[in-house]
Amino acid sequence: MWIKYRYLIINLICLISFITIAELVRWGHTFSIDLFIRELIQDAGLFLGFMKVMTEIGSSESILLLTTLLLVLLWLKSESTLFWFFSFLSVGGVLLNLGLKLFYQRERPGEEREIEVFGSSLDLISYSFPSGHTMRSVILLLFVIYITKSLTKRWIAKVVFIISIFLIISIPLSRVVLDVHYTSDIVAAILISISWFYGCLFLFEKKFSPMKLR
């Protein structure tokens, strides 16, 4: 019982933190620190190539492919509740990100202005807050950590955890380095992603136990 309420506590703490940052952004109180960090990492040098790889890993195409593969795996293993949980988590996360972008309508720091999908530019404005790359990646990786924590081979779970945390840090950072997001965009995106994940987990987990991958 305590674990379930711990999920709710994490959800609420992250949600309140997100709202706080969002309001600071809306009133322009984060601009100075966003600009300072932007100028600080403007010259990425050789680091730029690595950041481009990280941002491609977090692209909508990559996340869609990985999400589809995970859903197929869950379906084949007859993990129907986990399948619907992940479906709700993923689709809901995309809609949540879209809704927040449309609500805050913050312009991006760089030149990227339109949404691109599979190499095609859509005639839609791509707003900056919160970062879609970050939200998609964090939600997916939190789910991966969750379903692999009960692996029989503990060392595999630890490797997955380390890689996932590395990506959770690197993908959002790449968006700032490539000058398509402000730091507050990615921090807020991480917070609302964690809040969304644990909120969904609080609602769904009583219906299933983590699957035992072998």
Side-chain angles (χ1 to χ4, degrees), residues 28 44 57 67 71 78 84 105 117 119 127-128 132 143 154 165 174 176 180 182-184 186 198 211:
I57 291 175
T67 297
L71 287 172
S78 300
W84 290 115
Q105 295 190 10
V117 180
Y127 294 112
S128 187
F143 181 76
R154 302 289 295 176
I165 294 299
S174 72
V176 179
V180 289
Y182 296 105
T183 302
S184 53
I186 66 168
Y198 279 99
M211 71 176 187

Side-chain angles (χ1 to χ4, degrees), residues 7-8 10-11 142 193-203:
Y7 294 158
L8 184 59
I10 295 173
N11 163 263
L142 286 175
S193 298
I194 295 173
S195 176
W196 174 247
F197 176 81
Y198 279 99
C200 292
L201 193 56
F202 176 78
L203 295 174

Side-chain angles (χ1 to χ4, degrees), residues 15 35 91 118 121 134 149 161 166:
L15 179 59
L35 187 60
V91 175
F118 295 103
S121 180
T134 300
K149 70 179 182 180
F161 177 80
F166 173 77

Side-chain angles (χ1 to χ4, degrees), residues 29 59 81 98 165 194 199 214:
H29 297 311
S59 66
T81 308
L98 179 60
I165 294 299
I194 295 173
R214 298 183 187 279

